[in-house]
Amino acid sequence: MLDSIISYFESINPITAALYATIFTWFVTALGASFVFFFKSYNKNIMDTMLGFTGGVMVAASVWSLLIPAINMSEGSGFTQVYPPVIGFLLGAAFLYSIDKILPHLHVNFQKVEGVKTPWQKTTLMILAITLHNIPEGLAVGVLFGGVAAGIPEASIAGAVALAIGIGLQNFPEGIAVSMPLRRMGLSRRKSFFYGQASAIVEPIAGVLGALAVTFFAPILPYALSFAAGAMIFVVIEEVIPESQQNKSSDLATLGFIVGFILMMTLDVALG
């Protein structure tokens, strides 16, 4: 099955492939959000475990799918070779840090509002929090496909597909994490689902933009890959891990992180 998927993506334009791959990651978010139609609430232990899983996938993807390829495709050796990944990583983390401080958003688990003061409703702030998570995820998938389009030897369709699968898997709990709290806030099931899936719409947008940017400016690929890695690691440390560790189920969240990390590492090594 996976071989057939990879063969199909190899047969189409890499930019189109980036669009399809990030539509898949959006779809999995929508699938998670659809749980609001079938359940009135969710088990907190399960949600924390899934958030831990999300963090594990994002960290492993940042290392194996983004940083290691960025280092391998950088010119020079020793400290010279690592300059582009370091610069890109710092820029990615700084970018998300800036958005985190400026864009008003509400943390899902511990109800903490961050960003500039705003009269926006809690529902809007919660949607923005998950949307913030999804920007680097879509960008990461897009720049890998863009590297293929640019003819970079270290970039492969198989590696990009592996990353898309990993990102898609960890998007499932994110869809639940938006739609269920919105339902508890009093929104209808339809509105809760709509806003839950809408939080991932930025992924296809970021994915296509990232792929196009790398296609036209191939030398930026090491910077773009590490930029996405820095942004994802910032999200994991700033929000995903703290949110998963707020309750008594912190051990389950840690185990979820380990499982997510191993799964993403295995996908990347086996397929990439």
Side-chain angles (χ1 to χ4, degrees):
M1 174 105 181
L2 282 177
D3 289 340
S4 299
I5 294 173
I6 293 171
S7 296
Y8 171 73
F9 275 95
E10 288 175 339
S11 68
I12 62 177
N13 183 282
I15 306 300
T16 304
L19 175 62
Y20 289 168
T22 46
I23 286 176
F24 163 75
T25 62
W26 160 80
F27 173 77
V28 181
T29 305
L31 192 63
S34 71
F35 268 45
V36 75
F37 291 113
F38 308 104
F39 302 96
K40 293 183 179 180
S41 61
Y42 56 81
N43 184 289
K44 199 70 182 65
N45 291 341
I46 294 176
M47 179 52 62
D48 286 344
T49 303
M50 296 176 79
L51 281 174
F53 176 85
T54 293
V57 169
M58 292 176 74
V59 170
S62 297
V63 176
W64 268 271
S65 299
L66 302 174
L67 283 176
I68 292 177
I71 292 171
N72 290 338
M73 65 183 63
S74 298
E75 297 180 355
S77 60
F79 287 109
T80 303
Q81 187 179 19
V82 83
Y83 283 157
V86 167
I87 293 171
F89 190 91
L90 289 174
L91 289 175
F95 175 72
L96 259 292
Y97 174 82
S98 300
I99 293 180
D100 187 68
K101 295 303 178 185
I102 296 172
L103 184 69
H105 61 284
L106 179 68
H107 287 232
V108 176
N109 278 11
F110 46 91
Q111 305 295 298
K112 179 182 178 183
V113 178
E114 290 188 347
V116 298
K117 292 184 178 180
T118 176
W120 294 348
Q121 295 181 349
K122 284 187 175 182
T123 54
T124 302
L125 297 176
M126 186 175 295
I127 295 164
L128 287 174
I130 302 299
T131 301
L132 185 66
H133 291 192
N134 290 326
I135 294 174
E137 295 168 8
L139 182 64
V141 175
V143 295
L144 272 181
F145 279 106
V148 175
I152 306 297
E154 291 82 0
S156 69
I157 289 291
V161 169
L163 178 60
I165 292 173
I167 295 297
L169 289 174
Q170 61 90 37
N171 273 0
F172 183 80
E174 288 187 358
I176 299 175
V178 179
S179 62
M180 288 297 196
L182 291 178
R183 177 61 178 158
R184 290 203 307 271
M185 289 179 182
L187 270 68
S188 68
R189 283 187 169 88
R190 287 186 178 182
K191 284 188 175 180
S192 298
F193 168 76
F194 175 78
Y195 290 126
Q197 61 81 30
S199 66
I201 288 296
V202 294
E203 290 198 7
I205 297 171
V208 171
L209 290 177
L212 286 172
V214 172
T215 301
F216 288 109
F217 306 100
I220 72 169
L221 184 56
Y223 298 93
L225 289 172
S226 50
F227 180 96
M232 286 210 293
I233 292 295
F234 179 88
V235 168
V236 171
I237 302 301
E238 172 70 12
E239 299 193 7
V240 175
I241 290 179
E243 288 173 9
S244 72
Q245 297 287 327
Q246 289 297 306
N247 302 287
K248 296 180 180 179
S249 54
S250 60
D251 288 344
L252 292 174
T254 301
L255 290 174
F257 181 98
I258 293 170
V259 171
F261 188 96
I262 291 173
L263 177 61
M264 186 63 237
M265 178 180 67
T266 302
L267 280 173
D268 188 81
V269 174
L271 298 180

